[in-house]
Amino acid sequence: MDTTMADEKEKEKDPDGQNPAMPEAADSVTLSRSEWEALQSAEARAAEYLDLAKRVQAEFVNYQARARREREEFSRVAAQSLILELLPIADSMCRLLGASKEADAAALVEGIRIIEREMLRVLAKSGVRPMETAGKKFDPAFHEAVDTVEGPPGTSESVVLEEVRRGFMIHDRVLRPAQVIVGRPASAGPTDGAS
């Protein structure tokens, strides 16, 4: 009796024997052969798209790793190139220190000036240049005030009087602001007790 009822239920689901049995949740829905084939085709396309998405995702992860390795390699090569440019300057400093026992002060100062010019040349190759500050209007975007003093008579704005530490630009951006002593306008009066 159980097998007969099961056979009848199967025939209800698939009376002509052409369509495969549907899941129990879809007992009330029957599909024609063309609808069933369309559904299978859509499932196959969905599986292909899922596979494609997984491959694209894996390729992107690989691309990110490759790009990171290339950036790291570029940084190592760039650092090596700069270091090779700086080594002759270090050699010059060593020679200058070795000669300091026998050289007079003027020769030492000239040696330091040569080393400074060579250092600035190397920095310029990387787009780094020193800022011009003396006599310029104080600008907090470029200057860091380490002290303020009364400026020359007749000045109406804060002006850089002295550079304490040189500032540098890289291309058009501030790499390091200049530390400066600022002359405030004479009419401004003392600030923070400094005069």
Side-chain angles (χ1 to χ4, degrees), residues 74-131:
F74 177 77
S75 294
R76 280 192 296 272
V77 168
Q80 181 179 358
S81 175
L82 180 61
I83 290 168
L84 286 173
E85 291 278 340
L86 292 174
L87 287 178
I89 297 170
D91 294 339
S92 295
M93 286 183 191
C94 287
R95 281 193 300 275
L96 185 61
L97 288 172
S100 66
K101 296 172 188 155
E102 350 170 310
D104 61 355
L108 290 175
V109 169
E110 183 57 29
I112 291 170
R113 284 193 180 120
I114 291 170
I115 291 171
E116 179 190 32
R117 279 194 304 268
E118 185 63 18
M119 177 70 83
L120 291 174
R121 182 194 64 76
V122 169
L123 291 173
K125 286 174 81 173
S126 296
V128 178
R129 61 179 167 60
M131 290 182 192

Side-chain angles (χ1 to χ4, degrees), residues 30-45:
T30 58
L31 298 175
S32 68
R33 183 175 200 77
S34 63
E35 290 173 327
W36 181 253
E37 289 172 353
L39 181 60
Q40 286 180 324
S41 174
E43 286 178 349
R45 280 195 313 271

